Amino acid sequence: MAVYCNSAPFSCKAWRNRDPTPLSALLPTRLFSLLQPPFSFHPDRLKLSTCRWDKVASAVVSEESSVGSSSSGTDVFNLTYLEGNSWLWDISGVRVLVDPILVGNLDFGIPWLYDAAKKFLKNFQLTDLPQLDCLLITQSLDDHCHLKTLKPLSEMSPNLRVIATPNAKPLLDPLFRNVTYLEPGQESEVEAANGSKVRIQATSGPVLGPPWQRPENGYLVISPQGQLTLYYEPHCVYNKDFLEKEHADIVITPVIKQLLPNFTLVSGQEDAVQLAKLLHAKFIVPMKNGDLDSKGFLASIVQGEGTIESFEELLSKELPDAKTLEPTPGEPLQIPPP
């Protein structure tokens, strides 16, 4: 069953123009849409090392028994970074898999141009995942909606609840039976077997294509008792007008910019600081979504700008009480209410 939501109005901020990139002749249409200057701003399986994944699995089981909202009265986020844009979140027993790349490399179907593998979690199998309550997809491109991962995942769990950007509808409808597509401003509820429920609200992310295309999604995730709210958008691209009425205790965002000549692939640094300030964040969890073992022509010309330390220096001036919590890939980062 697919649920298509399209009733909520939203506005999308126009991003500043950049000079045309000379890469257009080299890139397939789908990947080149990511690089259009006016519109975007700022063998077969991998298996996680047994000892590290055992720590993740045991932490998930422990949390379900000890910090479920129904038993302890306290909401807790356990955030496990799976490198790239991928996460496993346990929110008081509600388990959410985010933008997973867990089978094979990331290559957009053009490995001669770009081919990337994870640095740390090299030995991962989908069968190592705990039972999931939701799959959350932010964008329709391969680094978020990774078909080499999603096809076998759908074969294992065809009825898995999925929440996604409507831009991913052509990719997800053939795979999953229970998909909810959220436009910015709309929300949906996810319930776990233990009775815990979280609310997920879509926010406006980057436009990866012509200006009339709908934006991709970010998300606000509200814990079962409303004690904590998390915000996630993997490019640090956001609509200020949309978010200024919201708040988030936890902000997951890239803080190191990824740059092509005359073009910003992923923003960060001062934009990440302004995002945290806008949402009155108490905790910032920095992503290193460009920190992969990559090769190919595109990988050779992408440059990083800034560090986590330079971000923290900027943050201390604008939001001195906020804390930066750097995740270790494969190990749960627990965040209770402040």
Side-chain angles (χ1 to χ4, degrees), residues 98-99 136-140 144 164-165 216-219 232-234:
V98 185
D99 288 353
L136 188 64
I137 300 294
T138 61
Q139 299 183 17
S140 55
H144 306 272
T165 168
E216 306 288 345
N217 281 359
Y219 294 103
Y232 175 67
E233 195 288 313

Side-chain angles (χ1 to χ4, degrees), residues 213-253:
Q213 181 170 308
R214 65 168 55 88
E216 306 288 345
N217 281 359
Y219 294 103
L220 289 162
V221 181
I222 299 93
S223 64
Q225 298 189 94
Q227 296 173 346
L228 285 170
T229 297
L230 176 147
Y231 172 81
Y232 175 67
E233 195 288 313
H235 281 206
C236 194
V237 175
Y238 50 92
N239 183 332
K240 181 178 178 180
D241 294 336
F242 189 97
L243 289 182
E244 63 184 2
K245 63 182 181 297
E246 306 291 349
H247 89 279
D249 305 283
I250 307 162
V251 169
I252 300 178
T253 183

Side-chain angles (χ1 to χ4, degrees), residues 297-311:
F297 175 72
L298 191 60
S300 70
I301 62 172
V302 174
Q303 299 293 323
E305 181 180 291
T307 63
I308 291 179
E309 290 74 22
S310 63
F311 165 77

Side-chain angles (χ1 to χ4, degrees), residues 249-265:
D249 305 283
I250 307 162
V251 169
I252 300 178
T253 183
V255 301
I256 299 171
K257 294 183 179 182
Q258 297 175 51
L259 306 174
L260 285 171
N262 300 314
F263 184 80
T264 300
L265 279 174

Side-chain angles (χ1 to χ4, degrees), residues 147-186:
L147 290 182
K148 283 187 283 188
T149 296
L150 297 183
K151 285 179 179 178
L153 179 61
S154 70
E155 293 167 0
M156 293 168 54
S157 304
N159 295 314
L160 177 63
R161 177 74 186 283
V162 182
I163 293 177
T165 168
N167 295 334
K169 182 177 175 65
L171 302 173
L172 295 175
D173 272 1
L175 300 178
F176 295 96
R177 301 170 185 167
N178 186 12
V179 187
T180 301
Y181 297 104
L182 295 181
E183 299 277 8
Q186 297 181 322

